[in-house]
Amino acid sequence: MPGLDIPSQLVEVLRAAGRVAALTGSGISAESGVPTFRDAQTGLWARYDPQELATPEAFARNPRLVWEWYEWRCDLVGSAEPNPGHRALVELEHRAPHFTLITQNVDGLHQTAGSRAVIELHGNIRRTRCSQEGIIVEEYGDGSPPRCPRCGAFLRPDVVWFGEMLPAGTLELASEAARGCDLFLSIGTSSLVYPAAGLPYEALESGATVVEINPSETPLTPRVHFALRGRAGEVLPELLARSSG
Ligand code: BV8
């Protein structure tokens, strides 16, 4: 896309990078029509704060409300298609000698786009698990929330809520990729939620070139080598195009 300001120095860094890591947030799915985590919730959900609903306490207090919020989001995600930003990361996975995709998103759109190895730090809204046994449950009856066919406990989305630990091993894998890469891309995230938001700083500490792709500033912006002020669906394809060949 003409007019996008991609520094030639960054193009060279991408061309030369042996190990690339990318951390994505809900901003990369915004152009697929999935509201970002901090966008005002639309319609029915306008009065709820996602940070309040995405907690074990909210689920314990009002399982029906939390379950129906996730059903609403699941429907949104179910009708969403990957956008050029997701697809550019699939191409980058093919092109870079080593590429690690780390996502905070729970929408599964990276996998739908064709990304093979995706580290899902916060789980996946398309999976459902027993709230007691922790096992993934494929088939279940009605109910809001439905109950586990094995033990009768409520089922819940297989996502990480605020105050919950990340899935075992995911943060370690992500941290290893951040510390071992030459180039770290932070894409479409407000860089506010930890421990995910700590990953670009680990990359900085390890001497990687860190790039932020976001229409807005974030707490990370002052620390990055390149801040590309634009939408992922435009910037990423342009960055790939400029560094091909
Ligand atoms: C935990 C899944 C430890 C659920 C989510 C320090 C260390 C450790 C923890 C903490 C800490 N300080 C505080 C904590 C607690 C907490 C936290 O970080 N709180 C914040 C609010 C301060 N962290 C946790 O609770 C984590 N757990 O650390 O456990 C522990 C536990 C027990 C005992 C001891 C220790 C778990 C956090 C995970 C929560 N789950 N999601 C669900 O989705 O329902 S978080 C959710 O919000 C997202 O997954 C994402 O991670 C996060 C932020 O969202 P973003 O993706 O960044 O999206 P956002 O809307 O914020 O921003 C969108 C961005 O995109 C914007 O910047 C916008 O400008 C940009 N954008 C818009 N359009 C575009 C675009 N960019 C590009 N292109 C576009 N077109």
Side-chain angles (χ1 to χ4, degrees), residues 57-80:
E57 294 76 16
F59 187 67
R61 198 171 44 246
N62 193 335
R64 169 186 288 276
L65 175 71
V66 174
W67 178 264
E68 288 177 353
W69 181 51
Y70 279 93
E71 278 193 317
W72 174 71
R73 288 176 62 192
C74 231
D75 290 347
L76 265 184
V77 161
S79 54

Side-chain angles (χ1 to χ4, degrees), residues 41 44-45 53 59 63-79 106 125-128 140-147 155-159 161:
Q41 297 292 313
L44 172 66
W45 302 103
L53 282 183
F59 187 67
R64 169 186 288 276
L65 175 71
V66 174
W67 178 264
E68 288 177 353
W69 181 51
Y70 279 93
E71 278 193 317
W72 174 71
R73 288 176 62 192
C74 231
D75 290 347
L76 265 184
V77 161
S79 54
V106 296
I125 200 170
R126 299 168 193 247
R127 289 192 302 266
T128 297
Y140 48 84
D142 296 333
S144 189
R147 290 189 177 274
L155 298 182
R156 56 164 283 179
D158 187 32
V159 298
W161 281 331

Side-chain angles (χ1 to χ4, degrees), residues 8 13 54 88 93 96 111 126 129 142 182 195 201 245:
S8 52
V13 167
E93 184 177 34
Q111 294 92 320
R126 299 168 193 247
R129 72 173 193 246
D142 296 333
D182 310 306
Y201 298 98

Side-chain angles (χ1 to χ4, degrees), residues 3-129:
L4 259 180
D5 175 21
I6 306 250
S8 52
Q9 198 187 354
L10 172 56
V11 173
E12 289 318 309
V13 167
L14 179 53
R15 278 203 179 111
R19 308 183 76 83
V20 181
L23 170 68
T24 62
S26 61
I28 196 167
S29 296
E31 290 155 273
S32 297
V34 180
T36 65
F37 211 79
R38 271 163 186 69
D39 272 351
Q41 297 292 313
T42 56
L44 172 66
W45 302 103
R47 62 181 178 280
Y48 295 107
D49 170 2
Q51 224 157 279
E52 293 303 314
L53 282 183
T55 63
E57 294 76 16
F59 187 67
R61 198 171 44 246
N62 193 335
R64 169 186 288 276
L65 175 71
V66 174
W67 178 264
E68 288 177 353
W69 181 51
Y70 279 93
E71 278 193 317
W72 174 71
R73 288 176 62 192
C74 231
D75 290 347
L76 265 184
V77 161
S79 54
E81 290 294 323
N83 65 61
H86 295 106
R87 287 197 288 275
L89 291 181
V90 176
E91 186 187 334
L92 188 49
E93 184 177 34
H94 297 153
R95 195 191 291 183
H98 295 275
F99 180 73
T100 307
L101 178 55
I102 307 156
T103 190
Q104 301 171 84
N105 298 340
V106 296
D107 57 32
L109 286 176
H110 285 302
Q111 294 92 320
T112 307
S115 290
R116 286 194 309 277
V118 184
I119 300 176
E120 291 182 315
L121 294 179
H122 296 158
N124 188 312
I125 200 170
R126 299 168 193 247
R127 289 192 302 266
T128 297
R129 72 173 193 246

Side-chain angles (χ1 to χ4, degrees), residues 149-216:
R150 287 161 48 118
C151 75
F154 280 137
L155 298 182
R156 56 164 283 179
D158 187 32
V159 298
V160 178
W161 281 331
F162 287 97
E164 292 187 323
M165 300 295 278
L166 275 55
T170 50
L171 185 60
E172 292 74 7
L173 271 177
S175 182
E176 190 183 325
R179 293 187 173 283
C181 68
D182 310 306
L183 175 62
F184 189 96
L185 307 173
S186 176
I187 306 162
T189 179
S190 55
S191 300
L192 293 172
V193 172
Y194 284 82
L199 292 167
Y201 298 98
E202 293 188 43
L204 282 168
E205 278 164 27
S206 306
T209 299
V210 178
V211 181
E212 182 178 62
I213 298 171
N214 193 322
S216 312

